[in-house]
Amino acid sequence: MSSGSYKQVYVQCPFYKYDDGSRRIVCEGIIGEDSSTGVIFKRKSDYAVQISVFCCKNYQKCEVYRMLSRNYEDV
């Protein structure tokens, strides 16, 4: 795991890979295990809300989680 925020130990989202502790959160990719989906926030405060509220607690409500979970739905 890349060095990042101390919040990494609290993350519950199964798609989370790592964050940089500042403005970037990296999750599982949409095209397989060898890819990643990254979100870069303009403001550190927005990053802090995202990781605290969604990655660590309510990941089912996260837009990235909902997008990635479609890869695992039975068709």
Side-chain angles (χ1 to χ4, degrees), residues 13-54:
C13 181
F15 300 127
Y16 171 90
K17 284 189 170 183
Y18 61 90
D19 67 274
D20 69 358
S22 179
R23 298 184 314 118
R24 184 172 85 162
I25 300 172
V26 178
C27 305
E28 180 178 304
I30 59 173
I31 56 172
E33 294 179 19
D34 294 332
S35 68
S36 297
T37 300
V39 180
I40 299 173
F41 296 89
K42 286 185 178 182
R43 293 183 294 235
K44 189 171 182 173
S45 61
D46 292 337
Y47 154 85
V49 168
Q50 181 73 22
I51 198 158
S52 294
V53 173
F54 295 106

Side-chain angles (χ1 to χ4, degrees), residues 12 52-62 65:
Q12 295 180 9
S52 294
V53 173
F54 295 106
C55 300
C56 294
K57 296 177 186 173
N58 301 308
Y59 64 86
Q60 299 92 340
K61 295 181 180 179
C62 174
Y65 171 85

